[in-house]
Amino acid sequence: MTKKQILLNAFNMNSVGHINHGLWAHPRDRSVEYNTIDYWTSLARTLERGLFDGIFIADILGVYDVYQSSVNLTLKESIQLPVNDPLLLVSAMAAVTRNLGFGITINANAEPPHTFARRISTLDHLTRGRIGWNIVTGYLDSAARAVGQDGLSAHDTRYDRAEDYLEVLYKLWEGSWDDDAVRADRAARVYADPAKVRPVRHEGPFYRVDGYHLSEPSIQRTPVLYQAGTSGRGRRFAARHAECVFVSATDKAAARAIARALREEAVAAGRRPDDIKIFVGISIIPGRSDREAQDKRLEYLAYASPEAGLAHFSASTGIDFSRYGLDDPIEYGTSNAIQSATELAQKKRWTKRNLLDELALGGRYPLVTGTPDAIAAELESWIDEGEIDGFNLARTVTPECFEDFVDLVVPVLQERGRYKTAYGGSSLRNRLFDAGDRLPENHPGAGFRCLTQAHSRG
Amino acid sequence: MTKKQILLNAFNMNSVGHINHGLWAHPRDRSVEYNTIDYWTSLARTLERGLFDGIFIADILGVYDVYQSSVNLTLKESIQLPVNDPLLLVSAMAAVTRNLGFGITINANAEPPHTFARRISTLDHLTRGRIGWNIVTGYLDSAARAVGQDGLSAHDTRYDRAEDYLEVLYKLWEGSWDDDAVRADRAARVYADPAKVRPVRHEGPFYRVDGYHLSEPSIQRTPVLYQAGTSGRGRRFAARHAECVFVSATDKAAARAIARALREEAVAAGRRPDDIKIFVGISIIPGRSDREAQDKRLEYLAYASPEAGLAHFSASTGIDFSRYGLDDPIEYGTSNAIQSATELAQKKRWTKRNLLDELALGGRYPLVTGTPDAIAAELESWIDEGEIDGFNLARTVTPECFEDFVDLVVPVLQERGRYKTAYGGSSLRNRLFDAGDRLPENHPGAGFRCLTQAHSRG
């Protein structure tokens, strides 16, 4: 039997600091060049050389102001501030690659669905079917205030709103144009057939739309849908809509628990367990020998900022850790944090001292240091014991961390029969699921395909 | 004395049909490839070879449904439908060019100012200061309905809203970060200095913002501001904010009248007459001989769709021309059209017959056919008699129309001392105005620079 293949995304952000904070100060780190095109096109070429499935780009619309009730450390260590728009990087990276996918994080409350739908369709055209969307609903109060709201709306309301948003999007992406609407027939002078294009009319609890989708059908139509929610409501949302779920787990047992819960909930929603690919966030430091790897880890650690890691975690949990002594027990019962619910469940006894130590390198993700063989074995066991499908590789010192992974670890994974030796498939979705370019029939989005199409398929 | 130099933008849209309708059916026309990256990167290279100042990309968020009260012809002839997002093309084109500017049309009501400001800053970073924004407020009822509004808001209200929107943007772009806020000092571990970054707080009649600009300062900060309004209120808005104004004029006298009115109004707003560069839309068909040019015009005309031109004009004017006989006089007094006010003033006596003839090639813009010398002379006289600064070149059969212009007309303009022989300047603004990368001090946006900067300049 073929061994389960490992899927891989590079995890990144259009910013200096991302997960492994402080490493921007490392002399070989290039993340301060995040605002140049070459930084991204070079990275895209490296990832495609390593047959990565995608680059997954995080985003936030607010700032981290919980730690010390201020943005001081956030600015000094560039903890995801400044942060530029991720969507605008795609066409440059797509121009220098053919297969690399793009999983872009975009807040579902940031703009009206009609214009958002067009942005995604535009990129699905330009990339020839390589676009994924990581659906987030926002967890930062500062982001809500920045766009003129009084503050963050209640968690469940955000998901209800996202459900309505997605329904509009499915109607636009799947239903407004038939597959054969565009004829581009020069002789007959018919670009699109008016009988096969129709306006979307939607009156939902949050959104109202009356109009045509402005884009003709792209290869995937609906982008590959990513999600990262691990709260009860977030998991229900993911089980219904997500095709890829990005989870944070500090050990394999935790990953397995999340994976099983997600797949069970997907089945309850009428989908198959394998309709969801599960990715775990991880940091990797490989070396040609174990000694080289450990030396590299210590060298990186010398530039890491544990305090910046703590400040980031403060924003994620809503707990200002600056108010605690090094060995005080930390209360988390009143935290309103969403993203970290899983972690909270895993860490019953926190002190600032052990958090500083754990967050220094790896951030909230496991850190694996070692030879390519040791790393490959560890990744395999995450896949098998953790019952997951792949990894979002957080960057350390960039781009050397991705170059190291491609040069050292990928060949070993290939030798072990765990990693593709060439790209296949006609689109990001097709490469991930080996089952067509479009949403599968059991996905809720497929239900919004228009009747004339359903008939013609019948 | 040096002759006044001619500025040039290629006028385009992320769509099949743009201005010269029907030409998508021409066997050499490649506009049906608008949804591929290569179409745009090839064009960008051609334009940079021809030292174009910029590519100006139009956009709409609605559909043309006035003619025959339907979108039938709109879809058949692809009259700006489908239309993909223009902003997402930029990074791919920027990756293959160094000097070409990007003037992108974006509706000021389409998304909240906070996220929009970041999109523009992101592109100003990635392009190294080559971004322009063509500010539109929307004139299509169908666009307003598509984003959930009951219909288009009153014209003056749209401009009042745009004023408030711009004020937020100026605060974010000019005021949130000081010039020297980013130190990127690895040794001192200071990426940005917290003392030089501050949140924007805005409580306007339409927009409320409380937050930091998420992007660090880019080369231009505020993008080069384009505008195309020619109504009284639109002209007042342009005279106050715009650095480049795109006007539609069918003859030089009309161009001169608009140019003078705009410059007078700019002076009344505390700016200099030359602080506004005025571009006229034009279509050009050059040939090595006059015979070759005229033959090319007739060949193009054979594929043109005058009726599609009329349908487009119906949407612009709000008049359904399908309801008129060929020689009926056409009433325009009740038209609610905004964009076409100037044209309305120029055309006292319309019939469908003469509109079909005029709109067949050139659309609403003048069409110049001839030898490179004749075309150069005509463009010069538009600049001198029309008192304008440059042209937005509409495409005919693409990309050959731009290749022809670059190969045939540009060298002649250069010989006549009317066109640059190399790019200069450090940013789009600097190339256009030869006066720095940033908004000039007499521009209203400059007033939102923060006090600490003003002091440090003193």
Side-chain angles (χ1 to χ4, degrees):
Chain A
M1 187 185 140
T2 317
K3 293 173 192 164
K4 188 169 175 182
Q5 298 292 294
I6 295 176
L7 301 175
L8 272 184
N9 290 318
F11 191 29
N12 214 329
M13 192 160 185
N14 198 352
S15 62
V16 177
H18 180 206
I19 297 294
N20 287 297
H21 291 292
L23 295 184
W24 69 272
H26 189 288
R28 292 195 304 276
D29 189 85
R30 282 184 56 198
S31 61
V32 297
E33 297 167 37
Y34 77 100
N35 58 353
T36 67
I37 289 184
D38 181 60
Y39 174 84
W40 294 99
T41 51
S42 301
L43 176 61
R45 283 194 183 96
T46 299
L47 299 176
E48 186 148 284
R49 179 163 67 81
L51 305 176
F52 273 60
D53 295 283
I55 178 169
F56 184 105
I57 310 187
D59 192 31
I60 50 167
L61 296 179
V63 298
Y64 296 148
D65 56 5
V66 174
Y67 187 76
Q68 299 173 326
S69 304
S70 122
V71 295
N72 280 1
L73 191 65
T74 298
L75 283 161
K76 274 191 194 163
E77 287 286 359
S78 189
I79 308 170
Q80 306 189 350
L81 178 70
V83 56
N84 278 347
D85 186 286
L87 211 59
L88 297 164
L89 300 168
V90 173
S91 70
M93 288 193 283
V96 300
T97 54
R98 291 181 153 265
N99 295 282
L100 185 69
F102 303 96
I104 310 296
T105 302
I106 305 163
N107 192 306
N109 297 323
E111 71 169 321
H114 185 253
T115 47
F116 175 70
R118 185 176 72 145
R119 287 194 211 275
I120 294 295
S121 295
T122 300
L123 286 180
D124 203 48
H125 278 289
L126 293 174
T127 62
R128 299 186 187 266
R130 293 192 271 154
I131 279 292
W133 170 32
N134 177 33
I135 309 165
V136 296
T137 60
Y139 70 102
L140 292 174
D141 208 58
S142 59
R145 289 195 312 271
V147 298
Q149 295 160 10
D150 283 319
L152 207 54
S153 55
H155 178 235
D156 282 4
T157 307
R158 296 206 306 276
Y159 276 106
D160 292 343
R161 176 185 284 272
E163 287 278 356
D164 197 31
Y165 196 76
L166 270 171
E167 190 174 317
V168 178
L169 293 173
Y170 292 144
K171 289 178 179 174
L172 291 164
W173 283 329
E174 300 287 335
S176 185
W177 296 64
D178 289 356
D179 288 344
D180 56 353
V182 172
R183 287 171 49 191
D185 184 335
R186 292 175 200 243
R189 296 203 73 95
V190 176
Y191 186 77
D193 180 350
K196 293 168 188 283
V197 185
R198 63 200 64 77
V200 162
R201 297 207 166 85
H202 178 88
E203 293 264 355
F206 299 92
Y207 294 101
R208 243 173 88 199
V209 170
D210 175 7
Y212 296 84
H213 187 34
L214 295 173
S215 300
E216 61 180 274
S218 64
I219 291 176
Q220 299 186 123
R221 300 252 195 157
T222 297
V224 174
L225 299 174
Y226 292 76
Q227 225 264 330
T230 46
S231 66
R233 183 69 180 90
R235 204 168 61 213
R236 213 153 65 239
F237 184 89
R240 184 168 147 76
H241 298 284
E243 302 175 86
C244 297
V245 178
F246 174 33
V247 305
S248 167
T250 48
D251 60 40
K252 293 160 205 168
R256 186 169 57 238
I258 300 169
R260 288 189 178 175
L262 264 168
R263 297 194 207 275
E264 276 167 26
E265 201 133 20
V267 169
R271 303 171 69 197
R272 292 163 303 199
D274 291 347
D275 284 342
I276 296 185
K277 302 290 186 195
I278 298 171
F279 294 79
V280 160
I282 201 162
S283 292
I284 305 276
I285 303 179
R288 281 167 187 80
S289 65
D290 192 59
R291 173 66 181 274
E292 185 184 292
Q294 298 301 339
D295 285 351
K296 200 189 287 181
R297 185 181 66 80
L298 290 174
E299 194 216 356
Y300 287 3
L301 196 58
Y303 293 93
S305 171
E307 192 186 10
L310 196 67
H312 186 177
F313 200 45
S314 276
S316 305
T317 56
I319 302 168
D320 179 0
F321 295 109
S322 73
R323 294 185 288 105
Y324 290 82
L326 268 179
D327 296 301
D328 295 348
I330 291 168
E331 301 293 331
Y332 55 83
T334 56
S335 163
N336 63 356
I338 305 312
Q339 306 272 337
S340 57
T342 313
E343 297 150 306
L344 286 163
Q346 290 163 20
K347 296 272 155 197
K348 292 297 179 195
R349 300 184 75 80
W350 277 345
T351 64
K352 192 158 138 180
R353 189 185 300 277
N354 62 36
L355 279 175
L356 281 166
D357 183 49
E358 281 186 35
L359 295 167
L361 264 184
R364 283 166 285 170
Y365 307 130
L367 172 70
V368 184
T369 306
T371 62
D373 274 311
I375 288 168
E378 180 67 7
L379 295 181
E380 282 188 43
S381 95
W382 271 89
I383 296 286
D384 297 338
E385 294 173 35
E387 299 182 7
I388 60 166
D389 301 280
F391 302 93
N392 271 10
L393 239 67
R395 61 175 157 93
T396 51
V397 171
T398 195
E400 77 173 35
C401 61
F402 294 118
E403 290 161 357
D404 282 352
F405 191 89
V406 169
D407 293 333
L408 300 177
V409 183
V410 163
V412 175
L413 289 173
Q414 288 170 327
E415 278 163 30
R416 297 166 77 110
R418 287 294 198 156
Y419 194 69
K420 59 186 159 316
T421 54
Y423 283 111
S426 51
S427 63
L428 175 59
R429 178 174 285 114
N430 186 224
R431 277 186 280 278
L432 292 170
F433 293 93
D434 196 19
D437 299 320
R438 308 277 304 277
L439 282 177
E441 291 298 327
N442 63 358
H443 188 282
F448 294 97
R449 288 175 191 150
C450 56
L451 285 175
T452 56
Q453 282 179 270
H455 289 157
S456 71
R457 273 199 306 273
Chain B
M1 190 185 142
T2 317
K3 291 174 195 164
K4 188 169 176 183
Q5 298 292 294
I6 295 177
L7 300 175
L8 272 183
N9 290 317
F11 191 30
N12 213 329
M13 195 160 183
N14 196 353
S15 62
V16 177
H18 180 206
I19 297 293
N20 287 295
H21 291 293
L23 295 184
W24 70 273
H26 188 288
R28 292 195 306 276
D29 188 86
R30 282 184 56 198
S31 62
V32 298
E33 297 168 37
Y34 77 100
N35 59 353
T36 67
I37 288 183
D38 181 59
Y39 174 84
W40 294 99
T41 52
S42 301
L43 176 61
R45 283 194 184 95
T46 299
L47 299 176
E48 187 148 283
R49 180 164 65 82
L51 305 176
F52 273 60
D53 295 285
I55 177 169
F56 184 105
I57 310 187
D59 192 31
I60 49 167
L61 295 178
V63 298
Y64 296 149
D65 55 5
V66 174
Y67 187 76
Q68 298 173 329
S69 304
S70 121
V71 295
N72 280 2
L73 191 65
T74 297
L75 283 162
K76 274 191 196 162
E77 287 286 0
S78 188
I79 309 170
Q80 306 189 351
L81 179 71
V83 56
N84 279 348
D85 185 287
L87 211 59
L88 297 165
L89 300 169
V90 173
S91 70
M93 288 193 282
V96 300
T97 54
R98 290 180 155 266
N99 295 282
L100 185 69
F102 303 96
I104 310 297
T105 302
I106 305 162
N107 191 306
N109 297 322
E111 70 170 320
H114 185 252
T115 47
F116 174 70
R118 185 176 71 145
R119 288 194 211 274
I120 294 295
S121 295
T122 299
L123 286 180
D124 204 48
H125 278 289
L126 293 174
T127 62
R128 298 187 188 266
R130 293 192 271 155
I131 278 293
W133 170 31
N134 177 33
I135 309 165
V136 296
T137 59
Y139 70 103
L140 292 174
D141 209 57
S142 59
R145 290 195 312 272
V147 298
Q149 295 160 10
D150 284 319
L152 207 54
S153 56
H155 177 235
D156 282 4
T157 308
R158 296 204 308 276
Y159 275 106
D160 291 344
R161 178 184 283 272
E163 287 278 355
D164 196 31
Y165 195 77
L166 270 172
E167 190 173 319
V168 179
L169 293 173
Y170 292 143
K171 289 178 179 174
L172 290 164
W173 285 327
E174 301 287 335
S176 186
W177 295 64
D178 288 355
D179 288 344
D180 55 354
V182 172
R183 288 171 48 190
D185 184 335
R186 292 175 200 241
R189 296 204 72 96
V190 175
Y191 186 76
D193 180 349
K196 293 168 188 286
V197 185
R198 63 202 63 78
V200 163
R201 297 205 167 88
H202 178 88
E203 293 266 354
F206 300 91
Y207 294 100
R208 245 173 86 197
V209 170
D210 176 7
Y212 296 83
H213 187 36
L214 295 173
S215 300
E216 61 180 275
S218 64
I219 292 176
Q220 299 186 125
R221 299 254 194 155
T222 297
V224 174
L225 299 174
Y226 292 75
Q227 225 265 329
T230 45
S231 66
R233 182 70 179 91
R235 206 169 59 211
R236 214 153 62 237
F237 184 89
R240 183 168 146 76
H241 298 284
E243 301 174 86
C244 297
V245 177
F246 174 32
V247 305
S248 168
T250 47
D251 60 39
K252 294 160 205 168
R256 187 169 56 236
I258 300 168
R260 287 188 180 176
L262 264 168
R263 296 195 207 274
E264 276 166 26
E265 202 133 18
V267 168
R271 303 171 69 198
R272 290 163 305 200
D274 291 346
D275 284 342
I276 296 184
K277 301 291 185 193
I278 298 171
F279 294 78
V280 160
I282 201 163
S283 292
I284 305 276
I285 303 179
R288 281 167 188 78
S289 65
D290 192 59
R291 174 66 182 273
E292 185 184 292
Q294 297 302 337
D295 285 351
K296 200 189 288 181
R297 184 181 68 80
L298 290 174
E299 194 217 356
Y300 287 3
L301 196 58
Y303 293 92
S305 170
E307 192 186 11
L310 196 66
H312 187 177
F313 200 43
S314 276
S316 304
T317 55
I319 302 168
D320 179 1
F321 295 110
S322 72
R323 294 185 288 106
Y324 290 83
L326 268 180
D327 295 302
D328 294 349
I330 291 168
E331 300 292 329
Y332 55 82
T334 56
S335 161
N336 63 355
I338 304 313
Q339 305 273 337
S340 57
T342 313
E343 296 150 308
L344 285 162
Q346 290 162 21
K347 295 273 155 199
K348 292 296 178 196
R349 300 185 76 81
W350 278 345
T351 64
K352 192 157 138 181
R353 189 185 301 277
N354 61 34
L355 279 175
L356 281 167
D357 183 50
E358 282 187 33
L359 296 168
L361 264 184
R364 283 165 286 169
Y365 306 131
L367 171 70
V368 184
T369 307
T371 62
D373 274 311
I375 288 168
E378 180 66 6
L379 294 181
E380 282 188 44
S381 94
W382 271 89
I383 296 285
D384 297 338
E385 293 172 36
E387 299 182 7
I388 60 167
D389 300 280
F391 302 93
N392 271 10
L393 240 65
R395 60 175 158 92
T396 51
V397 171
T398 194
E400 78 174 33
C401 61
F402 294 118
E403 290 161 357
D404 282 353
F405 192 90
V406 169
D407 293 333
L408 302 176
V409 183
V410 163
V412 175
L413 289 173
Q414 288 171 327
E415 277 163 31
R416 297 166 77 110
R418 286 293 199 158
Y419 194 69
K420 58 186 158 318
T421 53
Y423 283 112
S426 50
S427 64
L428 176 59
R429 179 175 285 114
N430 187 221
R431 278 187 279 279
L432 291 170
F433 293 93
D434 196 19
D437 299 320
R438 307 279 302 278
L439 282 176
E441 292 298 326
N442 62 357
H443 188 283
F448 294 98
R449 288 173 191 150
C450 56
L451 285 175
T452 58
Q453 282 178 271
H455 288 157
S456 71
R457 275 200 306 274

